[in-house]
């Protein structure tokens, strides 16, 4: 790896750490809020899974469709004639935009659409670097912009249907059902942590893939991620989870809808179902914070619609809608400044 790739990889590590800090909390929010699992136990379980799952799935099994999607948002023909320095400026602008907007979101204490901060910065910097024709707008339109609006709808519907199903199941079970669902949350935290980590780690892998292609001259179509790249990113998403995110646990776990144990299990399963489908079937870099919050909203609507804190929901939805265009503008602005200085 040359100096350009090393710098981008360091920034990708920083962003992966942030994803662990924010979306990591989403993985354990509901089970901690319902007191099904003590916070430190939940964090340890989730942290271990977040480290191991990407290694198994993204490296040994070679499932990296989300990373390939991130890499494909810029057309391969746009790379022709682009110098490593120009590619570095593009990727540096992308990562700075993502990190700056993410830090702003941390201070709001609201679930942030991590995928859209990164993808917005990438598209904005790409417009400045390669022009309108350099962006694969079909991929951006379907797998990014459309999913901003479609993902919450899908999650809410899945949450409602799954909650109705579990209510029907519980009516046919004895009083020990709550103990069963409480124990089931250990499994759910594992499943949910897996679904979140493999999607999030691949976003950073996608940035690294672009760096290898633009700054290293590697054929992105045939490039295979090595063990240490995936291992380092997995470690930092785990570290981010273990070192922070308690404010977001409170925001997601209690301030959207106050759930019981059964509702927590339902929301977790809804989230994992949608996240895993997006990762394995669609190769979609979905916002896991968006999936978690929307699933909770769906469960709340199913249980008691008046119990959903709609004022906070409106703020969260507004944050999701604004994230991509704002990050895109920030990415474009940073890229213009850096190009004026260094190119």
């Amino acid at each position: 790896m040359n100096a350009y790739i090393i710098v981008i990889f360091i920034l990708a590590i920083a962003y992966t750490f942030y994803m662990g800090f924010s979306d990591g909390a989403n993985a354990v929010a509901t089970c901690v809020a319902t007191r099904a699992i003590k916070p430190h136990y939940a964090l340890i379980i989730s942290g271990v899974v977040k480290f191991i799952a990407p290694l198994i799935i993204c490296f040994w099994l070679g499932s990296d469709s989300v990373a390939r999607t991130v890499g494909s948002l810029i057309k391969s023909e746009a790379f022709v004639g682009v110098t490593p320095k120009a590619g570095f400026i593009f990727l540096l602008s992308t990562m700075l935009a993502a990190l700056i907007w993410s830090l702003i979101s941390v201070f709001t204490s609201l679930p942030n659409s991590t995928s859209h901060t990164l993808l917005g910065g990438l598209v904005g910097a790409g417009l400045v670097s390669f022009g309108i024709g350099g962006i694969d707008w079909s991929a951006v339109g379907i797998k990014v912009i459309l999913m901003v609006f479609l993902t919450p709808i899908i999650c809410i519907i899945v949450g409602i249907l799954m909650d109705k199903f579990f209510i029907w199941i519980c009516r046919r079970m004895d009083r020990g059902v709550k103990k069963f669902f409480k124990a089931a949350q250990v499994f759910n935290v594992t499943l949910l942590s897996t679904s979140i980590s493999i999607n999030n780690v691949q976003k950073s892998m996608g940035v690294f893939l672009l760096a290898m292609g633009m700054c290293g001259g590697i054929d992105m179509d045939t490039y295979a991620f090595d063990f240490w790249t995936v291992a380092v990113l997995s470690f930092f998403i785990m570290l981010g989870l273990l070192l922070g995110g308690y404010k977001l646990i409170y925001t997601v776990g209690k301030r959207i809808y106050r759930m019981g144990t059964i509702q927590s299990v339902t929301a977790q399963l809804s989230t994992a179902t949608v996240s895993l489908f997006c990762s394995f079937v669609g190769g979609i870099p979905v916002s896991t914070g968006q999936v978690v919050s929307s699933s909770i909203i769906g469960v709340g609507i199913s249980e008691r619609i008046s119990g959903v804190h709609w004022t906070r929901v409106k703020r969260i939805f507004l944050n999701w809608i604004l994230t991509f265009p704002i990050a895109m503008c920030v990415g474009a602005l940073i890229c213009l400044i850096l190009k004026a200085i260094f190119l």
Side-chain angles (χ1 to χ4, degrees):
M1 291 192 291
N2 58 40
Y4 291 146
I5 297 174
I6 292 172
V7 171
I8 296 303
F9 187 53
I10 291 172
L11 291 175
I13 288 172
Y15 192 71
T16 306
F17 176 86
Y18 164 73
M19 288 191 289
F21 180 91
S22 60
D23 282 353
N26 290 327
V28 300
T30 57
C31 69
V32 171
T34 57
R35 299 180 180 179
I37 307 176
K38 292 182 179 180
H40 58 283
Y41 288 140
L43 290 174
I44 291 172
I45 294 170
S46 183
V48 172
V49 171
K50 281 178 177 291
F51 177 70
I52 295 175
L55 286 173
I56 295 174
I57 295 172
C58 301
F59 175 70
W60 280 303
L61 298 183
S63 179
D64 56 7
S65 58
V66 174
R68 301 289 173 182
T69 294
V70 174
S72 69
L73 296 183
I74 305 298
K75 292 180 179 179
S76 57
E77 53 264 32
F79 298 176
V80 178
V82 175
T83 64
K85 186 176 182 179
F88 172 70
I89 295 297
F90 157 66
L91 290 170
L92 180 62
S93 303
T94 297
M95 297 312 300
L96 289 178
L99 289 168
I100 289 171
W101 184 241
S102 296
L103 287 174
I104 293 173
S105 298
V106 167
F107 288 109
T108 66
S109 295
L110 285 174
N112 179 39
S113 179
T114 54
S115 64
H116 300 132
T117 58
L118 178 65
L119 300 177
L122 187 148
V123 172
L127 284 172
V128 174
S129 298
F130 312 111
I132 296 178
I135 308 296
D136 188 341
W137 290 108
S138 61
V140 171
I142 296 173
K143 294 190 175 183
V144 181
I145 298 175
L146 178 61
M147 294 308 294
V148 172
F149 303 95
L150 192 58
T151 297
I153 295 173
I154 293 173
C155 292
I156 288 172
I157 292 173
V158 172
I160 291 173
L161 294 176
M162 199 164 286
D163 187 69
K164 296 296 185 185
F165 172 75
F166 276 109
I167 289 174
W168 179 78
I169 290 291
C170 291
R171 287 175 180 172
R172 287 156 175 78
M173 298 179 70
D174 58 27
R175 294 181 180 179
V177 65
K178 287 189 176 181
K179 291 183 179 179
F180 168 78
F181 278 101
K182 186 175 182 179
Q185 291 200 65
V186 176
F187 169 78
N188 278 356
V189 166
T190 301
L191 181 65
L192 186 54
S193 297
T194 298
S195 66
I196 287 177
S197 63
I198 61 174
N199 198 283
N200 281 349
V201 166
Q202 286 189 71
K203 294 166 192 171
S204 296
M205 288 168 59
V207 172
F208 182 76
L209 179 64
L210 282 169
M212 293 298 288
M214 292 185 176
C215 304
I218 302 298
D219 185 351
M220 291 171 53
D221 293 331
T222 59
Y223 178 76
F225 292 98
D226 62 78
F227 172 82
W228 290 109
T229 299
V230 181
V232 169
L233 293 174
S234 300
F235 173 78
F236 275 94
I237 201 170
M238 175 187 70
L239 188 64
L241 166 65
L242 296 178
L243 295 182
Y246 282 96
K247 286 185 179 180
L248 287 169
I249 287 177
Y250 184 65
T251 299
V252 174
K254 292 185 177 181
R255 290 190 176 180
I256 296 176
Y257 180 78
R258 188 172 292 274
M259 296 179 295
T261 301
I262 298 174
Q263 291 75 35
S264 174
V265 171
T266 304
Q268 290 168 345
L269 286 176
S270 300
T271 301
T273 299
V274 176
S275 296
L276 290 172
F277 179 85
C278 289
S279 296
F280 286 107
V281 180
I284 299 170
V286 69
S287 168
T288 47
Q290 191 179 46
V291 176
V292 172
S293 299
S294 299
S295 297
I296 292 173
I297 293 169
V299 173
I301 291 173
S302 175
E303 292 282 336
R304 185 166 57 91
I305 192 169
S306 61
V308 179
H309 299 173
W310 291 108
T311 300
R312 180 161 294 275
V313 169
K314 290 177 183 178
R315 289 180 61 193
I316 292 173
F317 268 82
L318 181 62
N319 185 59
W320 292 337
I321 293 172
L322 293 178
T323 294
F324 183 83
I326 291 176
M328 188 171 69
C329 291
V330 174
L333 179 61
I334 293 175
C335 194
L336 283 170
I337 294 172
L338 293 180
K339 285 186 70 174
I341 296 173
F342 297 108
L343 294 180

